Structures are given as C-alpha cells and as structure tokens.
Amino acid sequence: MPSQQKLATLNEQFAIEGQLQFNATDDLIVANITNQHATASIALQGAQVLSWVVKREDKRGAERGANEQQPLIWLSDEATFIAGKTIRGGIPVCWPWFGAHPDREDYPAHGFVRAAVWDVVETSTTAAGQTNVVFRLPQTQVPLALWSHNTELELHVSVGATLELNLITRNHGSETVTISQALHSYFAVSDIKDVTVKGLEGCQFIDALDDWQRKVEITPICIDAEIDRIYQNTKPVCSLEDKGWQRRINIETNNSRSTVVWNPWIEKSARLGDMGEDGYLNMLCIETGNIGDDRVSIAAGAEHCLSACYRIVKI
Ligand code: TA6
C-alpha cells in the first residue's frame, strides 16, 4: 500500500480540482483523470497508461445513457498492481531496449523503466479542456549496473478527445547513446476476428514466430492465430479497423520507424498467466517504436522524442 503521506503530497502539489486526483490501487499510485472529453488512469509505476475512454458526443448514444464510448485501451482482468511487477495491458514503456537485451538474457525484457516508479513533475489543463501530465524517471530508479549512461527520460501524456504520448530521451553524457524503444500499446477490440490493421502493407517485417525471418507484408492484416511481428521503416500513420465497434483507431506517430503487431493467442496467453480468460480475443498490441534496424542513436547533448497520437473515427 503506498504511503498516505506520499499520496497527500502528490495531491497537494499536482491534483487538479474535479479533474485529476492521485489514488492508491493495491501497491501502486494511480493518477485518475476525468475531463470534458474523456476519462483516463495512469500508474506512476512505469508511467503506464491503464485506461482511456472518450465521452460520447453523439445524441443517440447519450439518449441510451451510454455517456462513454467503448474503451480504447485494454487492461487484463487479471492484471496485478504489485510494486516492481509489470502490469498486463495499458501502454507499457519499453526503454532503453525492446524485447530481450541484445547481450544479456538475464536483463529484464523490454528494459527496466516499466517496473520503475516515475516522478510526476507537472500537471496542467489546456484551454481546449485536455489534461496534461509530465512524468520523469528519477535517477534513483536507474540500475547503473544495467544502464550507466547519463540520460534523462520523460513521458508527456495529454488526455482529451485524442490521447497523445511523447517519450523524450535526453543525452546529458559526452558520448552517443543508442537505444531501442516502444510504446507497447494494448488496444481494446470488439473481437480479434473482426479487426484489420492497415497502413503496413509493403513494409518489411521480422517474424518473431518464424525464426526471426525477414518478410514483406502484402495485404492489410487480419488475425486468426498468434502473431508477433516487428515492422521496419514504417510510415507515420497506420490504423486499426474494428467492424464490431464500428470504429477506426488512427495511430499517428512521429520519430517512429518501427511498428510491432502482437497477439499471444491461446497457448502463449496460458504461458503468460495474466492475460485473463480469453483475454486475447479482445486485445491487439500495435506498438510505436524504434527497434532493430530502426534503433536510435542520440548524440551527446541531443534529445529524441518518440510520439504517438490515438484518434477514434466512427466507420
Ligand atoms: O511486443 C511483443 C512482445 O515482444 C512479445 O514477444 C511478447 O513477449 C510481448 O512483447 C509481451 O512481453 P512481456 O514481457 O510483457 O510478457
């Protein structure tokens, strides 16, 4: 259970009346947001977005009393909120390496920042009614044995009718630093068999399920089995079309050249153990990043900003 003192200090410094409040969820502190556009929740552990739900603007929906649209972000029914344990679902931040560490298999998958507790450094409201939160990874949460570079990491989250994330890496050291990274977003879907991913056609991908072979995507992607692919040199925009919920999620990115598409399906879900009963049927990860050939080198004194903006369009 987080200390009441820490919660009180956070709410004193950063709460926004009627819009943003910090609460405890089991071991973790979560920022709970509600504004004219949407509701959202973000755990300080990993600066991990856990939910984002846009409020309905269409009269018909409101008349039916459905003030909120279907969730955009998927969180496992069996997600745990235990200090230092990764949370299944939401938007984990993978940094400063994606997947297994290139040399050390004993290092944590997807880096160390998703299990670290980030600081809140700023909260604000925009004139358009969005809620902004800035998180920074404290140096005390950087295991120097795993990462000795003098870098600074921030995540800027903007919650409104769109959800915007900016992951900023600053290199305060005297040498170039190379990272791989991803915003490992779990999107909620009506039924995995009813969705199509568009915008990756023509891109080369690494198939993690077929001996990491390189292949080329020919068509929009439909999913009817386990999928784990790292698309390289991808375009700034792709989309997730969901016939069941009659919506398209536009994924607009900046400074991202890789896109990962992942669904564990049945067997891998069972091995993971925290996907929940048939959870794989209602989620699809489309991850915005820079991985493998697309990893990023940041010169001394320079910074890099990986951006993703999610927008819902009715279809
Ligand atoms: O992004 C896809 C992936 O790298 C898969 O290979 C799968 O392992 C997934 O991430 C989840 O990783 P996690 O460490 O959260 O279980």
Side-chain angles (χ1 to χ4, degrees), residues 117-181:
V117 179
W118 297 48
D119 286 339
V120 176
V121 291
E122 193 187 313
T123 59
S124 60
T125 311
T126 69
Q130 286 167 300
T131 309
N132 295 342
V133 188
V134 177
F135 298 90
R136 184 180 298 143
L137 182 73
Q139 286 306 326
T140 52
Q141 292 279 312
V142 177
L144 294 177
L146 275 64
W147 186 252
S148 58
H149 303 285
N150 183 4
T151 51
E152 184 185 341
L153 186 65
E154 284 184 0
L155 183 71
H156 296 220
V157 182
S158 184
V159 175
T162 61
L163 179 67
E164 294 168 37
L165 289 92
N166 290 289
L167 182 66
I168 302 170
T169 304
R170 295 193 182 96
N171 179 2
H172 295 307
S174 55
E175 283 160 20
T176 296
V177 167
T178 298
I179 61 167
S180 58
Q181 56 183 169

Side-chain angles (χ1 to χ4, degrees), residues 56-128:
R56 262 186 200 287
E57 274 149 18
D58 62 324
K59 280 194 105 3
R60 242 171 349 97
E63 270 143 24
R64 277 204 312 275
N67 299 327
E68 292 189 331
Q69 300 192 18
Q70 296 293 350
L72 186 107
I73 300 291
W74 178 86
L75 185 66
S76 171
D77 294 343
E78 290 178 19
T80 56
F81 303 95
I82 298 170
K85 188 172 178 308
T86 57
I87 304 167
R88 182 62 65 196
I91 309 180
V93 174
C94 306
W95 188 99
W97 59 83
F98 178 88
H101 186 277
D103 317 315
R104 298 286 303 262
E105 56 185 37
D106 57 328
Y107 283 10
H110 295 321
F112 53 83
V113 305
R114 60 176 174 160
V117 179
W118 297 48
D119 286 339
V120 176
V121 291
E122 193 187 313
T123 59
S124 60
T125 311
T126 69

